[in-house]
Amino acid sequence: MKEFEAKGIRIVAISSDEKEVLAEAQRDLALPFPLLSDADEQVIKRYGLVHAGANNGQDIARPAEILLDGQGVIRWAVFSDNLRVAPRPEDVLEAAAKW
């Protein structure tokens, strides 16, 4: 986390889950970053993160790592259909250093 903070990168997770569900997950998992609720899926849809029918036919947020600039423009992204597939932190830092 300190390496990201030193580069001015703020980590957040966005989910379509309700705030109460995310607050419980935050407590249980003791994550070092905030979990934000996008229950109406405005942000999830804006960035093309809808994983259609992935949860027993229900749409959910698609796993992704995204670097946004100060204007909300995607500068780098890795999209996945598997929550366990993610880039290494050093890959994210390397991508951020390029812009």
Side-chain angles (χ1 to χ4, degrees), residues 67-83:
L67 292 175
L68 302 173
D69 67 15
Q71 305 302 314
V73 175
I74 295 175
R75 296 297 179 181
W76 178 86
V78 172
F79 299 96
S80 175
D81 290 332
N82 184 337
L83 189 59

Side-chain angles (χ1 to χ4, degrees), residues 13-31:
I14 300 175
S15 172
S16 57
D17 292 318
E18 298 291 335
K19 290 179 186 179
E20 298 78 17
V21 171
L22 296 178
E24 183 177 328
Q26 184 76 52
R27 282 190 306 274
D28 293 348
L29 300 172
L31 297 172

Side-chain angles (χ1 to χ4, degrees), residues 83-96:
L83 189 59
R84 292 179 175 84
V85 176
R88 298 174 310 174
E90 51 271 16
D91 294 337
V92 178
L93 290 168
E94 181 181 326

Side-chain angles (χ1 to χ4, degrees), residues 4-75:
F4 287 92
E5 291 172 5
K7 300 287 185 187
I9 298 171
R10 182 166 181 222
I11 298 173
V12 299
I14 300 175
S15 172
S16 57
D17 292 318
E18 298 291 335
K19 290 179 186 179
E20 298 78 17
V21 171
L22 296 178
E24 183 177 328
Q26 184 76 52
R27 282 190 306 274
D28 293 348
L29 300 172
L31 297 172
F33 51 83
L35 301 176
L36 306 177
S37 175
D38 184 25
D40 60 3
E41 298 182 346
Q42 288 183 6
V43 174
I44 291 166
K45 289 176 182 173
R46 176 180 177 186
Y47 291 105
L49 300 175
V50 175
H51 192 174
N55 185 24
N56 295 320
Q58 298 292 325
D59 294 352
I60 60 172
R62 181 179 183 194
E65 286 74 29
I66 300 173
L67 292 175
L68 302 173
D69 67 15
Q71 305 302 314
V73 175
I74 295 175
R75 296 297 179 181

